[in-house]
């Protein structure tokens, strides 16, 4: 092994392993894309659930005296006290 303090250590003539670097870059890109798609799908599922819940609340509000009792009832149901309002 050569002396690490010599000037020739700064000039490394070895060729880097391009195949391994490309494999690593490909895996990082693939992992990033999979993560982005997963976040997007989860966001769509949550949005669709909230959209259905909002539709149920609107329909419920049309059948009762107003929107506020439906929201209060939904809040109470969500927190474990169904039918308290």
């Amino acid at each position: 092994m050569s002396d690490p303090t010599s000037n020739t250590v700064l000039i490394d003539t070895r060729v880097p392993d391009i195949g391994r670097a490309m494999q690593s870059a490909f895996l990082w890109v693939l992992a990033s894309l999979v993560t982005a798609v997963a976040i997007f799908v989860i966001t769509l599922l949550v949005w669709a659930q909230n959209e259905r819940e909002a539709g149920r609340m609107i329909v419920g509000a049309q059948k009762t005296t107003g929107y506020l009792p439906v929201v209060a009832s939904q809040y109470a149901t969500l927190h474990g006290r169904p039918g308290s309002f």
Side-chain angles (χ1 to χ4, degrees):
M1 181 160 184
S2 63
D3 182 20
T5 59
S6 70
N7 290 337
T8 57
V9 170
L10 299 176
I11 305 171
D12 192 4
T13 57
R14 291 178 293 172
V15 177
D17 186 10
I18 299 296
R20 189 154 175 89
M22 291 296 288
Q23 180 184 13
S24 179
F26 175 75
L27 290 176
W28 273 103
V29 169
L30 184 64
S32 298
L33 288 175
V34 167
T35 303
V37 168
I39 290 172
F40 181 71
V41 167
I42 290 170
T43 302
L44 283 180
L45 291 174
V46 169
W47 174 77
Q49 177 66 27
N50 289 341
E51 188 73 21
R52 285 191 298 273
E53 192 64 33
R56 285 189 207 112
M57 290 175 69
I58 290 170
V59 168
Q62 292 171 348
K63 292 179 182 177
T64 61
T65 58
Y67 185 72
L68 188 58
V70 173
V71 172
S73 174
Q74 197 66 12
Y75 182 78
T77 302
L78 180 68
H79 291 285
R81 295 183 296 273
S84 64
F85 285 102

